[in-house]
Amino acid sequence: MADDERDYYVYTPPGYNTSRKYKYPVLYLLHGFSDDASGWIAVGRANVILDNLIARNKAKPMIVVMPLGYGTMDFVRLAWDAWNHPELRDANFKKFTEALLTEVMPQVESEYRINKNRNARAIAGLSMGGSESLLTGLNHLDKFSWIGAFSSGGIPNDFEKDFPALDAKANPQIHLLWIACGTDDHLITINRNLREWLKTKGVNHTDIETPGMHTWMVWRRNLAEFAPLLFR
């Protein structure tokens, strides 16, 4: 779908190899623009965060899948100028969703003991990945019931265009819609605008604002606070 060969990283929780019949809930965890599939492990320390949360019984044991977050590599080749090309940006988001749903998810579900029920499936990400989580999750509520967005970037203010069917009728399907941003982040305004729009639509969500800028320190903290809420 994305017209290239790509990798993804998979975190399995402690005990995965010994519990051979149990099927785990899954979190699809997405990186930001300019990063790659290794970002949440190499810099975000997602494996360390999850290991510690699970060891302290603060989070349910879960599988975490971290795919490459570009729908088309043409988008990242333009570097930061890519965001000045709305059509390419939209194509990037659309093709990413298609690749995730039709390639990545079927592949990992065939290779790992993943519970395929939508109630056991979450999606979250930072910056570009936060926008991809919202666009993919909220437009495919038949597949995702837990959605997290950390410092989302790249969605324009025309939310009606990106979420045409979203309204209060979606609330029974959404176990958690968690929208976080640092108060010193340059993306705080768009995140606040999104949350206000959700209120006008009657869509239940959790607003999170913490001190901090557009940095991994904020996103690690977001993951540490978001993961314990999942699959309860």
Side-chain angles (χ1 to χ4, degrees), residues 35 45 92 155 185:
D35 217 331
R45 302 292 187 259
N92 178 64
I155 296 180
D185 195 318

Side-chain angles (χ1 to χ4, degrees), residues 16 42 52 66 105 177 194 220:
Y16 177 84
N52 278 279
M66 293 156 278
M105 284 172 53
L177 174 54
L194 172 62
R220 292 188 201 109

Side-chain angles (χ1 to χ4, degrees), residues 113-170:
R113 296 198 311 279
I114 289 174
N115 186 336
K116 298 179 184 179
N117 190 299
R118 66 172 296 278
N119 294 314
R121 192 182 291 134
I123 187 168
L126 69 92
S127 196
M128 178 185 74
S131 293
E132 289 170 336
S133 298
L134 294 168
L135 290 165
T136 304
L138 290 174
N139 288 314
H140 296 87
L141 289 173
D142 59 320
K143 294 183 170 60
F144 298 94
S145 58
W146 311 81
I147 302 166
F150 314 155
S151 309
S152 295
I155 296 180
N157 267 306
D158 185 8
F159 303 122
E160 297 279 353
K161 173 178 174 289
D162 285 318
F163 308 103
L166 188 63
D167 57 28
K169 294 177 183 176

Side-chain angles (χ1 to χ4, degrees), residues 1-4 6 33-34 68-85 87-93 95-96 128:
M1 189 62 66
D3 299 323
D4 57 38
R6 49 183 56 205
F33 186 75
S34 82
L68 187 66
Y70 306 106
T72 169
M73 295 308 293
D74 290 339
F75 188 65
V76 75
R77 290 187 186 105
L78 290 178
W80 293 102
D81 185 52
W83 297 104
N84 296 320
H85 299 267
E87 290 185 2
L88 184 58
R89 177 198 60 207
D90 291 348
N92 178 64
F93 283 149
K95 288 185 177 182
F96 168 78
M128 178 185 74

Side-chain angles (χ1 to χ4, degrees), residues 201-212:
K201 290 292 183 178
V203 177
N204 296 336
H205 60 284
T206 301
D207 298 349
I208 301 292
E209 291 190 4
T210 61

Side-chain angles (χ1 to χ4, degrees), residues 166-196:
L166 188 63
D167 57 28
K169 294 177 183 176
N171 286 331
Q173 297 176 278
I174 302 173
H175 293 315
L176 179 64
L177 174 54
W178 201 85
I179 301 176
C181 195
T183 53
D184 301 311
D185 195 318
H186 65 286
L187 294 172
I188 189 66
T189 300
I190 188 69
N191 279 268
R192 287 172 174 166
N193 291 346
L194 172 62
R195 295 189 324 238
E196 287 301 316

